[in-house]
């Protein structure tokens, strides 16, 4: 939880501002940035691992809470930014124009006009990110560390485990715990969530 | 620059990447004038409006509002208010907050905000709606609030970007008149973009008809309807549109227009170009369907002909007739209660004065 | 590759038919089915692991190629079906009506009208699924098996590894290999892919 | 059932979940008739069309086409062709494949398919487009292909679902006439859904005006325009819409309608209801703007009054005047070249015959 909450908050804040800037403010290189993001969201994590480890080490935050937050923010960035960008792009651009005529600036439009309209997508992004981080954590803690096999093969090992009944129960409990957190968030925010899905079909 | 001009646009150049919308656009709008920018989609009318509003950057040229060069100023500093097609109300705010948003951004004091909102609400008769959300309003009410948002800011120039396109036909008629009344009352400069020629004709002091980034004609509705400068304007204005007959002009003391077997005396047609004594090829005559004479009036006309009725379209007040005149399709309008049938042969005539002639380059003769 | 290709084909085939049926043919329970899918796409894998292992064992395909394909198909199902459903829902419903008037049935409409229109989304789905399966495989093979720590902590271990230079190189090579496959697919199908992203903003 | 009816709808009930669209809809369409379903959005007109096409399931009642009960048949077996608002052409197929898709599904032989496609292409003048993709066509061409798709299948009934709504004004006028010509030539039964009263008036043999799932009036355009059965129909048909004056009817030998200071003799008004000798409260008189007399004609009218001009809307062929008559807004239409100004006081009159009276329940008196 210590890791999850700040990670989610930081990634969402950065991603929503990114998405907003990409949708409405054409700056030099915004097209290029967008293309990199699209590619980024489909690059497997492994490609980015080494550079990131090096960067966090250099910043002297490797292994600290802030390092973990930074890593999660970067990993979550492409997909979350795209999510926000698509959501904002589906809002009528005339809303943005009207706000400019009414004298609101970059942050004024974002905070007063856009953010209040993006609760559904914030919830969707939150669930995605919480689920993602939680899964990373749990996979690492519980499932990693038996054999060098694909996930489905590992399963076999876990079920076939000869290390006794106790281990089996631990896995079971962990599994249930894992599922519980995102599910709880989902049920609490169900109404917003479905609206977010419906609004412009932003995320499958 | 001149004082009587509210807006002056000088040599404006606008381009999206490689696509040039305007090369050198020039336009003067008189103080208090209601100017309509009219054209088909893609003609550049909305682009021009967005440039005036400051929502689009220009490549070259200048825009002056009330004598001040605002070419590089922010929209809020230009003294303009804008009304959008999709209303663009802030969905999460009440009507009152929508109206006051611009004033609060400008740091206007609370009691002044209250006063101005109340005044605008009264003018637009939206007082009972002040505490509602936009989602709870009808289309017409939303557009009224959107106009109010421009009204409260007490601006010099109102910009309208197809404000009635999203409304149904009845509401469109009603709001059109309200906008006209508003203009008669406020006497602000208003620039109004539309593709609807009826809106343009009814609202405008002057209409600028645009095509491919060029202003074709800038004149009063009356002159645009009666003396179109070229064939494009002639065909664009008027519904149903003008009949065009291709033929030859024979000059002389009594000029005559010949098309196929028809020879149509031109009577007192006021030529705007000098024509020779001989023949001029490639001339087009334009006759508006509502200027075709029928029945008793046709008998007295300078030019008479028989046409064969093909399709009759009763529209209530009037009936539109699609017929064949000397082998060419020809449309005319008759009174609504008249019962014509497909296949009938009837006599029509042309009024001597209400015609337009265009040369081979489509310019008015 | 042996696993990836048939898995992708089977999952895409099932998901596209599902998405199509959900968009156009209102059957009893279609709303319920849709809701389950939405929830399903956010449930962490762990919740489904035990039931799936049991099912594959019962079917006697556990550990076989078909078992792996089935597992991947089921895991990929919610997100892929939603992807297809949203894509089909963005197509004008009148197209479907016109085809019915023209006498095409369930499969006729799907194969003759809908599939040829869904190349962009098929490509997007393919990339998603290939990346996903490939990552699963690589994570298992390469990174699993050092310590019970979150992913970011494990990284530290890998980089800090004292097991010599050779191990380090293996990891590096594996990482590059991992990235290469999805990236290649991406570059080959770039044109369709961007179109797929653009068309209705179906997937961030 | 009767032979002369192409379509018979009996006690149709349609509901989406809890929302009942029709409770008991009944409608007969004569063989070869052009019937237009006209109404505002949400009135159920498209739902009715989709039920006839078999694209929506009905809860109760029966639909007969050509005497055959098709209530539970598939769309393809009903002998109908349908044209959609969005054209709904198959984007990946050539025009030719689009046209032949239905025939191939029905297992028609190759040379027969070729023959029918060629024939339809000729009728619609789309031969040069046969090998193009829909994306390469203009809106008007697309809609022509969409009509062709119904044409090749040689169906008994054509269903049109707002086919012209996506086109611009000029194209709409042209295609409207083409559809009318097509009907004059093929003489198929056609059912056409629209919210555009001009389309309805010009195309229809009969119009069914719908509101809230009920048919308000089913009659010829002429009768609907001249003798609307209730106030809703009177206000819906006609652009600009009818003026309504609320007042009291005084019966007797010479019935008079009183509204405020006005007392309007009814002359030869053809009452459809029996009226008493005394007063009837809550009566509304409807006068169409184009039936108001002006100038010389006003002087001879049975009823004369002065109105104050508020807004003048020149529309080219005609000018619409928004005025005040005895404190109420009143609209009338004058000739297009007449120059009136806001503030003028002018004399108008009513024609004796062209008025409508409605009782307190909005039904025609």
């Amino acid at each position: 939880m210590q890791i999850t909450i700040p990670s989610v908050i930081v990634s969402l804040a950065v991603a929503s501002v990114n998405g907003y800037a990409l949708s409405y403010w054409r700056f030099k290189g915004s097209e290029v940035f967008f293309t990199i993001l699209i590619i980024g969201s489909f690059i497997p994590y492994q490609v980015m691992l080494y550079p990131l480890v090096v960067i966090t080490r250099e910043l002297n935050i490797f292994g600290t809470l802030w390092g973990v937050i930074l890593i999660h923010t970067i990993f979550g960035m492409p997909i979350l930014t795209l999510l926000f960008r698509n959501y904002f792009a589906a809002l009528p651009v005339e809303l943005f124009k009207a706000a400019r005529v009414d004298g609101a600036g970059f942050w004024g439009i974002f905070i007063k006009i856009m953010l209040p309209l993006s609760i559904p997508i914030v919830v969707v992004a939150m669930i995605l990110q919480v689920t993602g981080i939680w899964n990373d954590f749990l996979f690492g803690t519980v499932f990693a560390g038996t054999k060098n096999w694909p996930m489905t093969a590992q399963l076999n090992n876990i079920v076939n485990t000869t290390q006794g009944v106790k281990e089996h129960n631990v896995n079971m409990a962990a599994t249930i715990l894992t599922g519980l957190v995102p599910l709880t968030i989902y049920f609490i925010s169900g109404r917003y969530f479905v609206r977010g899905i419906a609004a412009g079909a932003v995320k499958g | 620059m001149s004082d009587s001009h509210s807006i002056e646009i000088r040599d404006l150049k606008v381009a999206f990447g490689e696509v040039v919308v305007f090369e050198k656009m020039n336009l003067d709008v008189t103080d208090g004038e209601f100017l309509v920018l009219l054209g088909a989609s893609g003609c550049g009318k909305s682009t021009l409006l967005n440039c005036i509003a400051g929502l689009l950057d220009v490549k070259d040229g200048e825009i002056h509002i009330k004598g001040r060069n605002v070419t590089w100023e922010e929209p809020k500093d230009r003294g303009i208010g804008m009304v959008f097609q999709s209303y663009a109300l802030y969905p999460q705010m009440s009507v009152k907050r929508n109206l006051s948003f611009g004033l609060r951004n400008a740091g206007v004091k609370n009691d002044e905000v209250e006063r101005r909102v109340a005044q605008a609400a009264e003018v637009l008769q939206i007082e009972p709606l002040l505490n509602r959300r936009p989602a709870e309003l009808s289309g017409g009410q939303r557009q009224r609030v959107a106009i109010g948002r421009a009204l409260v800011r007490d601006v010099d120039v109102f910009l309208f970007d197809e404000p009635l396109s999203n409304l149904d036909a009845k509401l469109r008629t009603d709001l059109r008149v309200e906008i006209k009344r508003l203009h008669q009352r406020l006497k602000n400069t208003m620039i109004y973009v539309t593709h609807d020629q009826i809106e343009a004709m009814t609202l405008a002091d002057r209409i600028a008809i645009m095509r491919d980034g060029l202003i074709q004609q800038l004149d009063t509705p009356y002159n645009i309807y009666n003396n179109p400068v070229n064939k494009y304007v002639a065909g664009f204005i008027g519904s149903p549109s003008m009949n065009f007959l291709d033929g030859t002009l024979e000059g002389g003391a009594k000029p005559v227009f010949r098309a196929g077997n028809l020879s149509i005396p031109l009577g007192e047609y006021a030529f705007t170009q000098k024509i020779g004594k001989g023949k001029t090829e490639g001339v087009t005559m334009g006759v508006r369907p509502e200027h075709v004479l029928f029945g008793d009036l046709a008998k007295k006309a300078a030019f008479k002909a028989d046409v064969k009725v093909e399709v009759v379209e009763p529209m209530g007040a009037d009936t539109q007739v699609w017929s064949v005149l000397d082998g060419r399709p020809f449309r005319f309008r008759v009174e609504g209660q008249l019962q014509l049938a497909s296949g009938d042969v009837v006599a029509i005539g042309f009024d001597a004065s209400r015609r337009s002639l265009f040369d081979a380059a489509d310019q008015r003769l």
Side-chain angles (χ1 to χ4, degrees), chain A, chain B:
Chain A
M1 289 315 260
Q2 222 175 339
I3 299 172
T4 309
I5 291 171
S7 294
V8 167
I9 291 172
V10 173
S11 359
L12 255 66
V14 178
S16 59
V17 173
N18 273 356
Y20 160 68
L22 275 174
S23 308
Y24 291 114
W25 301 88
R26 300 264 157 267
F27 51 89
K28 267 183 194 140
S30 66
E31 291 300 313
V32 176
F33 187 42
F34 182 52
T35 312
I36 290 174
L37 276 178
I38 290 182
I39 299 176
S41 66
F42 286 94
I43 289 180
Y45 289 171
Q46 295 88 324
V47 176
M48 300 197 279
L49 283 185
Y50 283 100
L52 283 174
V53 171
V54 173
I55 289 168
T56 45
R57 275 173 171 258
E58 289 297 313
L59 291 173
N60 250 336
I61 52 169
F62 187 88
T64 68
L65 180 61
W66 287 110
V68 177
I69 291 173
L70 179 72
I71 298 276
H72 279 308
T73 306
I74 289 173
F75 277 159
M77 197 51 52
I79 193 85
L80 290 182
T81 302
L82 284 176
L83 207 62
F84 276 100
R85 196 207 79 103
N86 284 351
Y87 185 81
F88 287 133
L91 293 177
V93 68
E94 295 193 336
L95 213 55
F96 167 73
K97 288 184 176 181
R100 279 193 70 196
V101 172
D102 266 346
F106 182 94
W107 292 108
I109 296 175
F110 179 63
I111 291 164
K112 291 186 198 153
I113 309 291
M114 295 303 163
L115 261 197
L117 291 178
S118 35
I119 294 170
I121 200 71
V122 167
V123 172
V124 169
M126 203 172 71
I127 292 173
L128 263 184
Q129 192 68 345
V130 168
T131 315
I133 294 174
W134 200 247
N135 277 353
D136 276 356
F137 182 72
L138 259 289
F139 261 112
T141 317
V142 180
F143 288 108
T146 24
K147 268 188 188 167
N148 295 334
W149 286 106
M151 192 185 68
T152 39
Q154 274 186 51
L155 265 186
N156 197 10
N157 295 338
I158 293 165
V159 178
N160 277 340
T161 186
T162 50
Q163 290 162 285
V165 186
K166 194 173 164 248
E167 178 83 10
H168 200 90
N169 283 352
V170 167
N171 283 337
M172 200 65 184
T175 305
I176 289 166
L177 207 75
T178 325
L180 227 58
V181 173
L183 274 181
T184 310
I185 294 178
Y186 170 66
F187 279 117
I188 291 170
S189 54
R191 203 170 57 99
Y192 283 116
F193 177 69
V194 172
R195 238 200 277 161
I197 291 283
V202 207
K203 170 70 171 81
Chain B
M1 295 206 179
S2 148
D3 277 350
S4 71
H5 284 155
S6 181
I7 297 176
E8 294 176 61
I9 292 170
R10 290 282 166 269
D11 295 337
L12 200 69
K13 179 174 176 178
V14 176
F16 299 126
E18 294 297 295
V19 185
V20 176
V21 185
F22 310 123
E23 194 59 66
K24 271 189 185 303
M25 170 63 69
N26 282 282
L27 181 67
D28 290 339
V29 186
T30 312
D31 212 11
E33 182 178 29
F34 200 121
L35 180 82
V36 173
L37 303 176
L38 173 65
S41 57
C43 73
K45 54 192 195 300
S46 276
T47 305
L48 185 54
L49 198 76
N50 276 293
C51 288
I52 297 171
L55 294 168
L56 270 181
D57 286 345
V58 305
K59 290 258 183 279
D60 203 5
E62 294 184 351
I63 298 169
H64 294 247
I65 296 180
K66 289 270 173 191
R68 202 158 49 84
N69 185 341
V70 299
T71 319
W72 299 106
E73 286 190 3
E74 276 294 299
K76 66 180 162 79
D77 302 321
R78 297 188 175 206
I80 52 129
M82 192 155 172
V83 179
F84 298 90
Q85 180 177 355
S86 67
Y87 324 128
L89 300 180
Y90 314 122
Q92 75 275 26
M93 301 182 190
S94 68
V95 167
K96 198 171 178 177
R97 296 271 308 157
N98 261 283
L99 292 175
S100 59
F101 185 68
L103 296 177
R104 288 184 200 281
N105 282 330
V108 176
K109 289 231 173 61
N110 248 337
D111 46 347
E112 174 70 5
V113 170
E114 290 289 332
R115 199 185 59 74
R116 288 216 222 158
V117 167
Q119 201 182 358
E122 196 210 319
V123 170
L124 296 163
Q125 297 166 6
I126 49 173
E127 290 114 322
L129 312 176
L130 282 179
N131 291 317
R132 298 216 198 144
R133 293 284 172 104
E136 300 168 280
L137 305 180
S138 71
Q141 290 171 332
R142 282 180 211 187
Q143 200 50 289
R144 234 174 251 138
V145 174
I147 294 171
R149 207 162 48 176
L151 209 58
V152 285
R153 291 186 43 240
D154 198 16
V155 291
D156 302 317
V157 179
F158 276 71
L159 305 176
F160 293 91
D161 193 0
E162 308 223 18
L164 307 181
S165 302
N166 283 5
L167 302 172
D168 67 36
K170 299 265 163 203
L171 258 172
R172 207 148 60 214
T173 314
D174 292 345
L175 264 169
R176 194 175 73 207
V177 177
E178 276 191 45
I179 291 174
K180 185 138 183 175
R181 283 215 178 93
L182 196 68
H183 181 245
Q184 285 179 358
R185 178 174 171 167
L186 300 176
K187 299 196 167 50
N188 285 42
T189 307
M190 296 190 176
I191 302 184
Y192 187 106
V193 162
T194 184
H195 64 269
D196 182 325
Q197 48 151 325
I198 295 292
E199 276 175 32
M201 293 289 285
T202 54
L203 285 169
D205 292 324
R206 284 194 304 163
I207 298 173
I209 296 194
M210 295 181 64
R211 185 194 191 187
D212 297 339
L214 294 172
I215 293 178
Q216 302 287 308
Q217 185 167 7
L218 173 60
D219 212 330
T220 62
Y222 184 88
N223 276 337
I224 283 190
Y225 177 77
N226 288 292
N227 304 310
V229 295
N230 61 35
K231 205 172 147 186
Y232 178 78
V233 172
F236 193 85
I237 290 283
S239 174
S241 58
M242 206 180 238
N243 294 291
F244 291 115
L245 300 169
D246 295 329
T248 309
L249 176 69
E250 286 181 11
K254 288 191 171 174
V256 172
F257 177 76
R258 290 190 203 282
N261 297 318
L262 307 171
S263 84
I264 305 167
L266 292 174
E268 295 146 45
Y269 182 81
F271 285 97
T272 58
Q273 296 183 30
K274 200 133 187 106
I275 57 155
K277 298 260 172 207
K279 284 190 180 183
T280 316
E281 301 284 344
V283 173
T284 305
M285 170 179 275
V287 183
R288 295 205 179 276
E290 59 268 26
H291 294 163
V292 172
L293 304 172
F294 185 77
D296 286 346
L297 290 168
K299 286 178 195 141
K300 296 176 223 152
F303 170 77
K304 281 165 284 209
D306 283 340
V307 295
K308 185 159 180 254
V309 173
E310 281 210 319
V311 176
V312 181
E313 297 194 314
M315 308 208 279
D318 316 289
T319 294
Q320 201 180 140
V321 183
W322 301 66
S323 69
V324 177
L325 168 65
D326 189 43
R328 306 142 205 262
F330 193 82
R331 233 163 6 197
F332 60 96
R333 194 177 96 161
V334 297
E335 204 268 325
Q337 304 294 309
L338 210 76
Q339 305 268 351
L340 286 173
S342 175
D344 287 359
V345 174
V346 296
I348 58 156
F350 296 166
D351 190 317
S353 56
R354 291 171 165 185
R355 280 167 302 183
S356 294
L357 287 173
F358 303 100
D359 64 17
D362 289 346
Q363 299 302 304
R364 188 177 189 83
L365 264 176

